[in-house]
Amino acid sequence: MDHAATMRRTYERISAGDIEGFGDLVAEDFAEHQGVGPGFPPTKEGTLAFFRSLAQSFPDMRMDVEDLIASGDKAVARVVVTGTHKGEFLGVPPTAARVEMQLIDIMRFDASGLVCEHWGVADMLSLMEQLGVVTTGASA
């Protein structure tokens, strides 16, 4: 099975706004280890609900793979996420800000080739800075 191609398709479907199609690539017993977001359980349904919400917050969101490495039953990707903040996101009202954020994702695939586990790191500080929620000053 080509886990790299499946991982790439997850980003393509999310970027196209096809959250249900993304869900077709995710196993029913999926486990999210990163934590999806406040109020979203770390399950397949919680993850799909989070991405539906994200698509409302950033309707033009794109997830572009910069690097992708697959080995065995896992694949790792470095992804750049871009979008325009047009809906409430984590309690932040729309700002119309154009944002860019880096992600590192690890996905594990089951015997049928579906994503069954996810770990990841997202540069949320950078995102919150771009939305004007936090500011960082120069170091002393």
Side-chain angles (χ1 to χ4, degrees):
M1 286 182 212
D2 189 347
H3 298 317
T6 301
M7 188 174 198
R8 200 174 289 279
R9 279 196 306 276
T10 66
Y11 300 118
E12 290 168 354
R13 290 182 182 184
I14 292 167
S15 294
D18 183 8
I19 306 306
E20 302 316 309
F22 161 63
D24 292 342
L25 302 173
V26 177
E28 290 303 318
D29 61 349
F30 172 80
E32 172 57 63
H33 298 288
Q34 173 184 341
V36 187
F40 297 98
T43 61
K44 176 179 180 173
E45 284 311 311
T47 299
L48 295 178
F50 172 75
F51 277 104
R52 285 185 204 104
S53 171
L54 200 57
Q56 291 176 351
S57 300
F58 301 92
D60 61 344
M61 179 178 65
R62 288 199 43 82
M63 302 180 89
D64 294 308
V65 175
E66 299 287 314
D67 292 299
L68 198 152
I69 302 164
S71 179
D73 64 351
K74 290 183 181 158
V76 179
R78 182 174 63 87
V79 179
V80 175
V81 181
T82 56
T84 308
H85 184 213
K86 294 188 175 184
E88 184 176 312
F89 175 69
L90 298 177
V92 179
T95 63
R98 183 86 180 137
V99 298
E100 180 177 299
M101 179 177 69
Q102 297 279 327
L103 302 176
I104 302 291
D105 285 323
I106 302 170
M107 295 182 190
R108 188 173 76 78
F109 298 84
D110 65 15
S112 58
L114 298 175
V115 180
C116 62
E117 291 185 89
H118 171 264
W119 299 262
V121 178
D123 187 358
M124 293 300 290
L125 176 59
S126 171
L127 178 60
M128 292 299 148
E129 287 174 336
Q130 293 171 68
L131 295 178
V133 175
V134 296
T135 59
T136 58
S139 299

